[in-house]
Amino acid sequence: METISRISSMLETARELTLEAAQSATMPRGSSTGLTSRNHTTAHIKKLLDSRNDREVLDGMRRVITIMYRFEPSLPFFSAVVKNVANANLEVKKLVYIYLVHHAEAEPDLALLSINTIQKSLTDQNPQVRAMALRTMSGIRVPVISQIVSLAIKRGCGDMSPHVRKAAALAIPKCYRLDPNTLPQLIGYLSTLLGDTQYFVAGPAVSAFLEVCPDRVDLIHKHYRSLVRKLVDMDEWGQIATLRLLTFYARKCFPRKTEKVKQAVSKGFYDDEEDADTSEGGKEYEIPIVNPDLEILLRACKLLLQNRNSAVIVNVVRCFLYLAPPEYLAAAVGPLVALLRSPQDVQHIVLYNIVAVCLRHPMPFTKYISHFLVHASDPPHIWRLKLEILTILFPNCGLHLKGVIISELEHFSQGTDPELVRESVRAIGRCAQGDTSTAGHCLRILLKQITSLDDNLVSESLTVIRHLIQQDPASHERTVIELVKYLGLTNNPDARATIVWLVGEFAGAEPKKNIAPDVLRILVKDFANEAEIVKQQIVLLGAKVYLHHLLRNPPKEEESQASPKVKQEYKNEWADDKDDEKDEENSQDQQQTEPEDRIALLWRYLLLLARYDTSYDLRDRARLYKALLASPSSTQLANLLLLAPKPVPHAPSPSETRKDLLIGSSTLIVGPDAGPHGLVGYQNLPDWVESGNEPDPSLREPDMKTEFAEEAPVTAGERLDRALREHESTIGSASRSQNGRVPAGTPATKNKTLDQWLEDEESEEETDSEEEVTDSEEEETEEETDDEEEDEEETEEETDSDDPEEAKQLLTQSNVRAPGSSKDVL
């Protein structure tokens, strides 16, 4: 009957498809069902929904769903749609359920009318109908039916079909969001579904667990190993959820243990050499010890590295990064890099994760450097991350790869894209900071770019050069002198300001190599034509040169006693313009009476130039420096402000702030600044559990068969197989008892355990070979028994002829011997 019903349903479906094809063929060209549905009125659609023909009802439901997904008003059809909940057609039922889930919140009272019919569908013979009914009931967001949904989930957890149990697992989070008070009941359902034998039920159960009660680690203990075994067979989304759960579980339940191991020491030929070697060597170092249960998880994760889903591979890398020793991570680097062949959106996410892994363990990525070279077709968000990865891996590469990276960066620094030029020059600077042995080569490349016509390239190059000089000023004396030569070749204000600052900072420290006064003398000549940023640096250079002069030529005692008067003069000097003119006359008289050196005259001339400049900022700076250096005897404050040691600049990787974010999370891509605490739902990994506080390992089910294995639920097929084996074993034991192997009267099938049955099955092959030997032995024993019978006949004849006492002795000896035993015969 079932076959006939299937054939009839297939014929009906074929008929409907034929009618639809004929209907579409008669339509005018350029029209479609979606466009013609607009011409149908609401009354016509309701008429189709009220029809008794399933094909017309299906046509009406399709039109209603089309209207609904066009965001047109489809709520007037609610009452007509609810009538078709009890329709036996599966296609109609699907569309009705979609409509109900979409509009149940708007019409909760009418939606409750369909609950009884949906409950009846939970007992339908078709598992697909039962799964759809459970999915629809949990999707109707009406708080009144929360207990009904809970009971439906309970029924679904015990259903024979795994598809219904999967629908029950997916319905648990919906029921929890509908009514959080049902949490105790839902936890019991979750405990049942987590131990389901079907892998595609366990995956949704894990997803529901992470949403409903992620802190209930005690529910996972007894299902840990079964989840690990099912991990390979799950679908991609189940694998992602299970990997996340097991990663958190491992941190909370497996303590981090290490073992101290002594380094191997080479023994000397003589005893004293051996003692010396052992005293110097034999250092102890710690190696991590992997928990056996954790090792099971890591081995299962290795099988997932060939997965087609990029999210699964990223989750495996996260598991290896935070849980496993480094050798496991090295095996996952290749599949992670292979994801760069994916589309650009996936490639962008993968590059962020590679950067986060490289910041911790860069060595495994060095052999894949060719995959991170920038291509001409790469968009900015891709080549920025590639440049960052190249600079992170640069210190760990060989000389050849270092040369390749530097040449690539030099090529892109001379391009036309300003952003790419800027980032390439900064990348060269980070490479020089990461590996000091290549700093000279990087510096020569940057010095060549100062004469470029691209102002952007020149300013960025000088900024990077300044950072490199500040790293080690003593070794870059010649570099500052070379930079001074470029002052007459470049007109870029930023470049000139940077060079002037470097001269004032590093060229006036030693008297023998002091070129700062000559540079200042040359710059003062064209002071009025310089840009404002350059003028500020020239004034600062003059203040430093004058301060160095005061420190090398301290004033005499008479000048120091007259210093308060000088201070008072400088205080009154800026009172008004008339006082300024008087002070200038007084200073000219002092210059005539006491000749001053050239550096002081140069400083005064520079102050006069800045005093009449149009920039307020420059005039204020000049007044500040003049007040600081007004008293030659007290230069402590000026020394602190002008000659204080500057902090060494460090250009970290742009993703350094994301180093501690969780691999595979959305916060790693968006950044920690998205909202007050990042994205909603972000949760970092917990710390390793301390040794002694971990749960008892006996809570996790054993990996091999236990003594309670017989109490586990057994399917009907397994029972039939077991009964068949028992029947065959009883027949075999009966045949062996007839052959004389087993004593008569001993039951063969009683008082035997499962291990004994397994041993009997393993020994069946041996017994077959033994039976061939015993058959030959039996033939020999038959011949020997014939000989014995002849001997007995002879003894009987002798007893008849001889004495009766001797005959009795012969009979007793023959009875003692066991019949059929070859040993007694021999």
Side-chain angles (χ1 to χ4, degrees):
M1 295 297 293
E2 185 178 358
T3 306
I4 295 173
S5 62
R6 287 183 180 179
I7 294 173
S8 62
S9 64
M10 293 172 62
L11 292 173
E12 183 66 23
T13 305
R15 176 176 174 273
E16 291 177 0
L17 292 174
T18 305
L19 291 174
E20 289 179 2
Q23 185 179 2
S24 61
T26 56
M27 289 181 183
R29 184 175 297 179
S31 63
S32 62
T33 57
L35 295 175
T36 55
S37 62
R38 293 182 180 179
N39 300 328
H40 291 278
T41 60
T42 304
H44 179 70
I45 294 176
K46 287 184 177 181
K47 183 179 179 181
L48 291 175
L49 294 175
D50 294 336
S51 176
R52 295 184 179 181
N53 189 355
D54 291 344
R55 191 172 63 84
E56 293 181 356
V57 175
L58 182 60
D59 188 19
M61 285 303 307
R62 286 174 178 172
R63 298 181 189 280
V64 171
I65 298 300
T66 303
I67 293 171
M68 183 180 72
Y69 281 109
R70 281 177 178 167
F71 299 101
E72 297 178 6
S74 59
L75 201 58
F77 305 104
F78 198 97
S79 59
V81 170
V82 170
K83 295 177 184 178
N84 295 294
V85 174
N87 197 306
N89 193 340
L90 187 61
E91 297 297 327
V92 175
K93 195 180 290 290
K94 287 180 182 179
L95 296 179
V96 171
Y97 285 166
I98 292 172
Y99 185 88
L100 280 176
V101 172
H102 193 272
H103 289 293
E105 270 188 303
E107 293 288 342
D109 296 333
L110 292 176
L112 292 176
L113 298 176
S114 61
I115 296 299
N116 292 331
T117 308
I118 296 175
Q119 277 186 298
K120 292 179 181 179
S121 299
L122 293 173
T123 59
D124 195 273
Q125 293 182 356
N126 190 351
Q128 188 177 2
V129 175
R130 298 199 300 270
M132 280 197 311
L134 182 56
R135 194 180 302 116
T136 305
M137 185 176 292
S138 61
I140 295 176
R141 293 178 292 273
V142 180
V144 181
I145 64 170
S146 60
Q147 293 299 327
I148 301 176
V149 175
S150 179
L151 292 175
I153 294 172
K154 182 180 180 180
R155 181 190 294 272
C157 292
D159 198 282
M160 293 294 292
S161 174
H163 297 283
V164 181
R165 298 199 297 272
K166 178 181 178 181
L170 295 174
I172 288 176
K174 299 177 183 177
C175 183
Y176 176 71
R177 290 193 292 266
L178 192 63
D179 186 8
N181 295 326
T182 58
L183 181 60
Q185 306 169 13
L186 300 178
I187 290 176
Y189 306 153
L190 273 176
S191 181
T192 303
L193 293 172
L194 286 172
D196 199 284
T197 56
Q198 295 292 334
Y199 56 87
F200 55 85
V201 179
V206 171
S207 302
F209 176 85
L210 289 174
E211 186 171 350
V212 174
C213 53
D215 297 330
R216 291 292 304 273
V217 184
D218 55 322
L219 298 177
I220 308 298
H221 292 319
K222 59 182 178 180
H223 305 300
Y224 171 76
R225 293 184 183 176
S226 65
L227 288 175
V228 172
R229 287 194 295 268
K230 299 168 191 170
L231 183 60
V232 181
D233 298 324
M234 291 181 183
D235 62 326
E236 287 86 353
W237 301 112
Q239 288 172 348
I240 293 170
T242 307
L243 284 172
R244 178 178 175 81
L245 172 64
L246 296 182
T247 304
F248 279 79
Y249 179 86
R251 280 293 190 100
K252 293 180 180 179
C253 299
F254 301 139
R256 197 173 190 178
K257 295 182 180 180
T258 56
E259 182 181 3
K260 291 184 178 180
V261 180
K262 288 187 178 181
Q263 188 178 4
V265 181
S266 59
K267 295 184 179 180
F269 182 77
Y270 298 102
D271 294 338
D272 55 351
E273 292 181 3
E274 182 179 355
D275 295 336
D277 292 339
T278 54
S279 62
E280 293 177 0
K283 296 181 180 179
E284 293 184 352
Y285 60 95
E286 294 183 350
I287 59 173
I289 299 176
V290 182
N291 190 286
D293 285 332
L294 178 58
E295 191 172 3
I296 295 172
L297 172 61
L298 299 178
R299 289 179 180 177
C301 290
K302 276 190 174 181
L303 302 175
L304 301 178
L305 292 175
Q306 305 300 325
N307 200 292
R308 61 183 180 181
N309 194 328
S310 58
V312 175
I313 296 177
V314 172
N315 277 270
V316 172
V317 173
R318 176 174 63 185
C319 183
F320 286 165
L321 179 64
Y322 296 119
L323 301 179
E327 56 267 17
Y328 282 92
L329 181 62
V333 168
L336 183 63
V337 175
L339 295 178
L340 295 178
R341 303 189 188 99
S342 305
Q344 288 184 356
D345 51 350
V346 178
Q347 189 178 357
H348 185 211
I349 296 172
V350 171
L351 284 172
Y352 266 115
N353 288 276
I354 290 177
V355 169
V357 178
C358 285
L359 290 173
R360 294 172 176 265
H361 301 283
M363 281 301 297
F365 291 90
T366 52
K367 58 183 179 181
Y368 299 103
I369 278 186
S370 60
H371 294 77
F372 305 117
L373 298 178
V374 179
H375 301 285
S377 59
D378 289 338
H381 62 275
I382 298 294
W383 58 251
R384 277 194 180 91
L385 293 172
K386 286 187 174 182
L387 291 179
E388 185 176 359
I389 294 173
L390 289 176
T391 55
I392 294 172
L393 300 180
F394 182 80
N396 302 283
C397 298
L399 293 176
H400 173 68
L401 293 177
K402 288 180 181 178
V404 171
I405 294 174
I406 291 297
S407 61
E408 285 288 321
L409 295 177
E410 183 181 4
H411 170 73
F412 287 112
S413 65
Q414 298 173 357
T416 57
D417 187 1
E419 292 293 329
L420 183 57
V421 169
R422 185 181 298 111
E423 293 297 329
S424 300
V425 174
R426 291 176 182 176
I428 293 175
R430 290 200 298 271
C431 290
Q433 290 183 8
D435 187 5
T436 55
S437 62
T438 59
H441 180 58
C442 296
L443 190 60
R444 286 192 293 272
I445 292 173
L446 294 173
L447 287 174
K448 292 178 183 178
Q449 296 174 348
I450 294 178
T451 57
S452 175
L453 299 177
D454 187 0
D455 294 341
N456 184 28
L457 175 60
V458 173
S459 61
E460 286 295 330
S461 299
L462 281 171
T463 303
V464 175
I465 290 172
R466 176 171 62 84
H467 291 171
L468 294 178
I469 292 175
Q470 287 183 263
Q471 298 287 334
D472 189 9
S475 61
H476 291 289
E477 294 177 356
R478 298 292 305 172
T479 306
V480 178
I481 297 174
E482 290 293 329
L483 287 173
V484 172
K485 297 179 182 179
Y486 291 103
L487 279 174
L489 300 176
T490 179
N491 295 322
N492 188 358
D494 294 332
R496 295 179 65 84
T498 302
I499 295 174
V500 172
W501 184 88
L502 288 172
V503 171
E505 189 70 20
F506 302 108
E510 297 183 9
K512 297 181 180 180
K513 301 178 181 180
N514 190 4
I515 62 171
D518 291 333
V519 175
L520 178 63
R521 177 179 57 82
I522 295 171
L523 291 173
V524 165
K525 293 180 180 180
D526 199 19
F527 181 82
N529 297 324
E530 297 284 357
E532 183 178 355
I533 185 174
V534 183
K535 290 180 181 179
Q536 293 175 0
Q537 296 300 327
I538 292 174
V539 173
L540 179 60
L541 173 62
K544 290 180 180 179
V545 169
Y546 185 60
L547 179 59
H548 281 297
H549 173 69
L550 294 178
L551 294 176
R552 291 177 189 137
N553 302 312
K556 299 179 181 179
E557 295 182 358
E558 296 177 357
E559 294 178 358
S560 62
Q561 291 178 359
S563 60
K565 296 181 180 179
V566 177
K567 288 182 180 180
Q568 187 65 31
E569 289 178 0
Y570 277 99
K571 287 181 181 179
N572 298 330
E573 182 180 2
W574 301 96
D576 50 10
D577 295 337
K578 294 181 179 179
D579 295 337
D580 292 339
E581 294 176 358
K582 293 180 180 179
D583 292 335
E584 290 176 5
E585 293 176 357
N586 295 331
S587 62
Q588 291 176 1
D589 294 338
Q590 290 178 1
Q591 290 176 5
Q592 293 175 0
T593 56
E594 298 180 0
E596 295 181 351
D597 53 8
R598 296 179 180 179
I599 293 179
L601 291 174
L602 187 61
W603 170 240
R604 291 180 180 277
Y605 178 66
L606 181 60
L607 290 177
L608 288 174
L609 291 175
R611 177 180 176 183
Y612 295 104
D613 195 85
T614 57
S615 173
Y616 291 97
D617 187 17
L618 185 63
R619 295 201 299 267
D620 293 340
R621 286 172 184 264
R623 290 176 181 177
L624 174 63
Y625 296 147
K626 184 177 181 180
L628 284 174
L629 301 174
S631 176
S633 59
S634 59
T635 57
Q636 291 83 4
L637 183 59
N639 194 6
L640 290 174
L641 292 177
L642 298 177
L643 302 181
K646 307 299 186 296
V648 178
H650 176 69
S653 181
S655 298
E656 192 72 26
T657 57
R658 309 186 186 190
K659 182 178 180 180
D660 297 329
L661 295 177
L662 190 62
I663 301 295
S665 62
S666 301
T667 308
L668 178 67
I669 312 302
V670 179
D673 300 331
H677 301 289
L679 293 178
V680 178
Y682 174 76
Q683 184 180 3
N684 208 345
L685 277 179
D687 296 331
W688 289 93
V689 64
E690 297 181 0
S691 182
N693 295 334
E694 72 274 11
D696 189 3
S698 62
L699 295 174
R700 292 183 285 274
E701 62 178 358
D703 212 1
M704 304 300 293
K705 293 181 179 180
T706 63
E707 58 182 352
F708 302 103
E710 295 181 355
E711 299 179 1
V714 182
T715 61
E718 293 177 354
R719 291 179 181 177
L720 290 174
D721 294 338
R722 183 181 298 177
L724 182 60
R725 287 195 298 267
E726 291 178 357
H727 179 66
E728 292 176 352
S729 62
T730 52
I731 294 174
S733 62
S735 62
R736 288 194 295 271
S737 64
Q738 291 177 1
N739 293 331
R741 292 189 191 177
V742 182
T746 57
T749 58
K750 292 183 179 180
N751 300 326
K752 279 194 174 184
T753 61
L754 180 61
D755 296 332
Q756 292 176 350
W757 282 117
L758 294 175
E759 291 176 0
D760 291 341
E761 291 176 359
E762 292 175 356
S763 62
E764 283 181 357
E765 298 178 358
E766 299 178 358
T767 55
D768 294 337
S769 60
E770 289 177 359
E771 286 177 359
E772 297 177 356
V773 178
T774 53
D775 291 338
S776 61
E777 291 179 355
E778 287 175 358
E779 293 177 357
E780 295 176 357
T781 52
E782 288 178 358
E783 295 176 356
E784 292 173 354
T785 51
D786 294 338
D787 296 336
E788 287 179 359
E789 290 177 357
E790 293 177 359
D791 293 338
E792 288 178 358
E793 291 176 357
E794 292 177 356
T795 53
E796 288 177 357
E797 292 177 355
E798 291 176 356
T799 52
D800 293 338
S801 61
D802 297 334
D803 295 334
E805 294 179 358
E806 294 180 357
K808 289 180 180 180
Q809 291 178 0
L810 291 173
L811 289 173
T812 54
Q813 290 177 1
S814 63
N815 290 329
V816 169
R817 297 173 183 173
S821 62
S822 59
K823 292 182 180 179
D824 295 336
V825 173
L826 294 172

